[in-house]
Amino acid sequence: MHTPRLLAVWSLLCLLVGGSGVARAASAADQPDWTTVAAELVRRPEFAALPLQIAAGPGRTPAAMQVSAGRCVLRLHTHGNPVATVLQRQAAPEDGQLWMQAILVHEIAHCWRWQGQDAALQQFAALIDTAGRDARRLGEVHQRLRDEETFADVAALAWVAQIAPDRLDAMVGAFQRLRGNATLSAGAHDTRPALDRVQREGFAAGLSPFDTARVLLADTGR
């Protein structure tokens, strides 16, 4: 997720589209492009209430969410981006479309989490600015970033559990590979303790993906 002040320091990486079934591409060549997947995803009923837009993104981050003034812009930079290629390879080819959607739901989770929280977001941006001048605050920043990434990863997996429960283990594995890949995930993005918990315990029924992630963070005291 990015706001203008966070753009240089917060690159978040962060399935199933349409119909009644699960569409899984047989090979990378058969997969739709990211923009098509994103456009279909944001039209799903569970995301319809969110103020989402899609636009081209700067830099090398394949997907990121910019939150500002009550709006959420999903920034995509995937065409010809080698980082996007590495990102896609964290999942098996047959799960390619599902993995793309899980990554995008991760980004949408940032939008949901910060709705109506402009003041808190600006306070966080100020904390990051302070940490740039005072290294003693870096630990706090990293923990806040890790909490944010944990929330988004868990929300994405909870969504997969509802839409394609037979592929949950595969998606947990893909996120574990992503978070263990130093090229794609820095230390503050290491959510593997939460991923391990999801792998052990799964998800309780009855909650939305976002509420599921919120409860998990609350259980860990975050």
Side-chain angles (χ1 to χ4, degrees):
M1 181 180 59
H2 298 61
T3 67
R5 295 175 69 186
L6 296 179
L7 190 60
V9 294
W10 197 344
S11 296
L12 302 183
L13 293 173
C14 245
L15 74 246
L16 297 182
V17 175
S20 59
V22 174
R24 293 198 294 271
S27 69
D30 297 326
Q31 295 172 18
D33 65 84
W34 286 83
T35 302
T36 299
V37 172
E40 294 178 344
L41 190 65
V42 301
R43 290 197 295 266
R44 289 183 65 94
E46 60 265 43
F47 307 129
L50 294 172
L52 288 162
Q53 300 175 356
I54 301 170
R60 290 167 54 85
T61 302
M65 185 64 71
Q66 179 180 342
V67 181
S68 179
R71 302 297 300 175
C72 299
V73 181
L74 177 59
R75 299 280 183 180
L76 299 177
H77 178 205
T78 55
H79 182 69
N81 184 350
V83 179
T85 301
V86 175
L87 178 60
Q88 286 182 281
R89 288 175 179 167
Q90 306 310 300
E94 61 268 24
D95 288 319
Q97 184 174 336
L98 178 61
W99 176 230
M100 292 166 71
Q101 290 184 309
I103 292 164
L104 296 172
V105 173
H106 168 112
E107 295 302 333
I108 292 171
H110 295 309
C111 176
W112 183 92
R113 183 166 161 86
W114 288 101
Q115 286 304 293
Q117 301 294 321
D118 286 352
L121 192 57
Q122 289 304 314
Q123 289 172 0
F124 188 26
L127 173 63
I128 292 176
D129 286 346
T130 299
R133 301 186 301 272
D134 183 354
R136 293 172 296 181
R137 305 299 297 275
L138 282 175
E140 183 179 355
V141 170
H142 287 171
Q143 186 59 64
R144 291 282 299 274
L145 288 170
R146 190 174 295 110
D147 289 348
E148 186 68 26
E149 290 299 280
T150 295
F151 174 86
D153 281 3
V154 172
L157 288 169
W159 187 79
V160 170
Q162 292 183 3
I163 301 301
D166 62 314
R167 305 311 301 158
L168 177 60
D169 286 346
M171 291 297 98
V172 171
F175 270 106
Q176 287 172 327
R177 285 187 290 276
L178 167 64
R179 296 314 182 190
N181 186 317
T183 300
L184 297 172
S185 294
H189 289 65
D190 188 353
T191 66
R192 285 177 290 182
L195 299 176
D196 291 344
R197 179 176 174 181
V198 170
Q199 191 169 48
R200 292 193 309 269
E201 302 176 10
F203 295 110
L207 294 176
S208 73
F210 302 133
D211 285 331
T212 296
R214 180 177 54 79
V215 169
L216 184 143
L217 277 183
D219 284 349
T220 60
R222 298 295 178 190

